[in-house]
């Protein structure tokens, strides 16, 4: 994934799912994938999130520079909403 913005969006989307479903092994593995991508490909560190009624806000360091991004809640929470609306399609299969 060449775009930092796409990687941040995907990371935040799956992080929201992981936070809501800590037992979801697929979500956890996907979050680890995007963590690795942000760290190794885009050189992002110190990633922090905050939210309000409308937006998610990201603050992160890229090299020596502190950067910020923001995303509408409705876009970030769409995956979690889909999982919650059709849980039978998103059964957790723990690894052994």
């Amino acid at each position: 994934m060449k775009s930092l913005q796409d990687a941040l969006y995907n990371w935040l989307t799956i992080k929201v799912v992981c936070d809501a479903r800590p037992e979801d092994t697929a979500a956890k593995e996907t979050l680890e994938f995007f963590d690795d991508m942000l760290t190794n490909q885009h050189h992002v560190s110190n990633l922090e999130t905050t939210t309000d009624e409308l937006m998610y806000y990201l603050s992160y360091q890229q090299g020596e520079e502190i950067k910020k991004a923001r995303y509408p809640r409705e876009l970030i929470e769409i995956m979690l909403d889909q999982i919650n609306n059709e849980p039978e399609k998103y059964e957790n299969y723990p690894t052994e």
Side-chain angles (χ1 to χ4, degrees), residues 32-49:
E32 290 170 359
F33 170 79
F34 283 108
D35 276 334
D36 184 64
M37 178 184 296
L38 286 169
T39 300
N40 295 315
Q41 184 175 340
H42 296 287
H43 311 290
V44 168
S45 61
N46 302 321
L47 191 54
E48 296 181 13
T49 64

Side-chain angles (χ1 to χ4, degrees), residues 16-91:
V16 167
V17 172
C18 281
D19 289 349
R21 297 170 46 100
E23 75 290 347
D24 189 328
T25 54
K28 182 179 178 182
E29 289 172 2
T30 304
L31 181 62
E32 290 170 359
F33 170 79
F34 283 108
D35 276 334
D36 184 64
M37 178 184 296
L38 286 169
T39 300
N40 295 315
Q41 184 175 340
H42 296 287
H43 311 290
V44 168
S45 61
N46 302 321
L47 191 54
E48 296 181 13
T49 64
T50 57
T51 189
D52 63 22
E53 295 169 0
L54 299 175
M55 304 291 280
Y56 279 90
Y57 302 93
L58 297 178
S59 173
Y60 59 95
Q61 187 170 342
Q62 190 176 33
E64 298 298 316
E65 192 175 350
I66 302 295
K67 297 185 177 184
K68 296 183 181 205
R70 65 183 185 163
Y71 299 92
R73 284 183 76 118
E74 64 187 30
L75 291 178
I76 297 302
E77 294 173 356
I78 196 164
M79 181 180 286
L80 181 59
D81 291 344
Q82 184 175 0
I83 291 169
N84 288 336
N85 289 335
E86 299 180 281
E88 69 281 358
K89 292 183 179 179
Y90 301 93
E91 186 174 340

